[in-house]
Structure formats: C-alpha cells, structure tokens
Amino acid sequence: MQNPRSLVFALHAHWSVVEWLVQRSREQPVFEQDQVVALIGKVDPSKTSDDREGILRALINADILQLLPRDSLLQLNAHVLEFVRGLTREHELGLSAVLQARVQGIRETTERLNEALERRDLDLLRQAAAQLAELFRQIGLQLDQDRHAILEIAEKAKASDSQMPAERRYRQVLQAYDEYIEPMAAMMDSGPAGTFYRYLEETERALDYSLEVLTAQGALYTLRVLVRQAAFQTKDLRKLGREVLKQCSDTLLPLREELRQHNSLSATISHLLGLVRKRGLSRTFKHSQLPLWRADRPKRVSVGDEIRTIMTEARSFKPISKVFPEEAPGVSVTELQLVDSLELRQRLAGCLPVPSLLDWLRSQYAHLNDATLLRLYHELINEPDWLIKQADQRACTELNKLNVIHYPHGILE
C-alpha cells in the first residue's frame, strides 16, 4: 500500500511530469520506461540523464507509476489519474445511465425518508438524509465533470483540420449528443415525462417538511443541520442541472448542424483557448512568448451625475473662518470654602425636621458663598441616610448672588 504523504510530496515535486502523463494516458494507457524518461526530458530539457532516471525512480517508489505484473510496462495509479483529471478538467464524458441510476436512487431514498418520518425513526431519517446529501454531491460532481468533458470534445472538433470530412471531424460530437445530451434532455424535461426535476421537487418538499417536524419536536441540532443542508443541496442541484444542460446543448448543437467552418487559424485559436481555459494564461504562455494578438484593455470607471455634482461642489469649496469662543472662566479652587461636614450633619440632625434644606443652609451658613452652599445642598440630598421629601410647590431661595428657583427638598428625619 502506498504512503499517502510520499505520494502527495512526489505529486508536488513532479507535477508537470505527472500532468503530461495524465494527458498522454488518454491515447496510451501504459508506458515504457524509455518513453517516460524521454517525456521528462521534454518537460524540462535542463535535466541530465541521471536526473531523469532519478525522477522516474521517485515516481515508481511513490506509487504514482505502477509496474504491470509480469511485465516492465508502467501505468498510472488509478487514484492519481482520477485526482489529476479532476483538477485539470480532463475527465472523460460520463454515462447518462449512471446519472439516471443516481436520480432513481434519490426517489428510493426519499421514500425511506418519508417512511422514517412516519415511524418517528430518527436513526433511519439521519441515514436517509446523509445518503441524499451524498447522492446530491455525486450528481453535482458528475454534471460538472461532464460539462468540461463536452467542452473538451467541442474544442477538439473545432481544432481539427478543416479539410477533414465532416463525419470524421464531428464523430465524437455526434456521439456525445446522441448518447448524452438527448437522454439528459429527456430526463430533465419539466413535463410529466421528465424525472430529474420531479424527483428533486418531491425530495425538497420531503426535506422541508422533515425539518419543520424536527424543529417542532426539538430534535438534535446536528440532525436538523443535516436535513437543512440536504434541502439546500436540492435547490442548488436543480439550478446546476438546468445550467449544464443548456450550456452543453448550446455548445454541441451548432457543431452537430455543421453551421461553422474553421480554417487553420481558427483551429489554432480554439486549441489555445482550450489550453488557457484549463491551465490559465500565465501557464500556457510565458511572458516572453505571448502572441502578438493579445492586447490588454484598460478598464474605465464611470460615475453618475450625482457624483459629478458633489465633485464640482467639492472643487469650488472655500472654507469659512470661524472664531472659536474664549474659554469661560471656571471656578477656582480658592473660591471653594472648607466646611466641617461632621459638625454640619450634627447641627442638621438637631434641627429636624427641615422643610427646605437650601433655606436652612442659607440661614445657618450665611457666610458661605453660593457655590459652597449649592455643593453642600446636592451632597446632602443624595445621601441615603436622610429621609428626603421634595415639595410639590415651586419656591425661590435668594442666595448671596443667585436666586434659585426650585422645588424644595425637605428632610423629615
């Protein structure tokens, strides 16, 4: 059994070689060792003969390349082949029958989900929801792979020689349309004959109803999340199926009808566009080898009339000079007078009850200034030890310099 870490490290170190081997595997499933060494030399001509032999041994030791039994031929590891094809969008076109079988599995699993809901069997309901989520994932993955496979078939047909007979040139296009597009269109028909949308709608209703029941019953949060996520996958899968079918039909139908004729220039451009779609522009062309027909288009940002009005007003803006007000003179520390608080509270306790505390302070401490009297007044009425009662009638107390209009606070005890 191969070591996963060694295999992943070898993929990282020799990715360019493995990518070319995966592309060659479409036409040649097995390789001779000399062919692999020659391919390594084409990928990196700077490698010496010993370096190429070392890369070959590293690929064999990491189990990326496997020796056939009783033979010296090499073949790619099936897991590596599937992994690299998935990343580079080099998948073969799948079978519509496999997709139809998975769609039929959705209907059977939905029936088990409804049965589990009727029997209140949460374990069976969990299994059915998890199986539906897995089916949705598999169908979505197959649809995405089939879309790229059909685009690859169309690009190859466009890049082929225009002098080739149309029957030979579009052989794979016709085969893909007859064996895949037409069965897919029949399965995804929105009418009564279609099964894809009808089964997914039934499944979506069943999952939504199951989520309502589980929420009302107070089921486990993990189970509710599983059912809710499966319902979201159902909606996304319906949208994905519609998009994939439309894109594949729009791609193959013009070729099937032979509406376009390609010369050598358009064939080369189609081939290069296919490489750019799969690998990206920077990996397809080096900076020193960019074709002359490539041109960068500068982007323009336009603004509305409201923004232009604001910009015009901002350009003609003139600041207005304002004079800041002078700081108001505050009360200095020297104006505050010291009072014996203990003697004040003892005298006040001896005079209880006091109907108006501010008037009492004015009569007992007439020598204090207004700021000190008001400070003592606010301190005393906020103390919790006194039983304070505020009068309903407004009164006026004349201090040294101020006349205070207030609702008197009295102290009962």
Side-chain angles (χ1 to χ4, degrees), residues 28 48 131 199 205 209 283 318 344 358 377:
Q28 188 177 355
T48 62
Q131 187 174 359
Y199 290 170
R205 287 194 295 268
Y209 179 68
R283 293 189 58 193
K318 294 182 180 179
L344 169 65
L358 186 58
Y377 172 70

Side-chain angles (χ1 to χ4, degrees), residues 118-147:
E118 293 177 0
R119 294 163 47 185
R120 298 296 188 268
D121 190 346
L122 298 183
D123 186 48
L124 180 60
L125 191 145
R126 180 188 300 274
Q127 294 177 4
Q131 187 174 359
L132 283 173
E134 179 63 21
L135 284 172
F136 296 153
R137 186 193 66 81
Q138 294 176 359
I139 293 174
L141 182 61
Q142 182 178 351
L143 287 175
D144 185 65
Q145 293 174 357
D146 292 344
R147 171 171 54 184

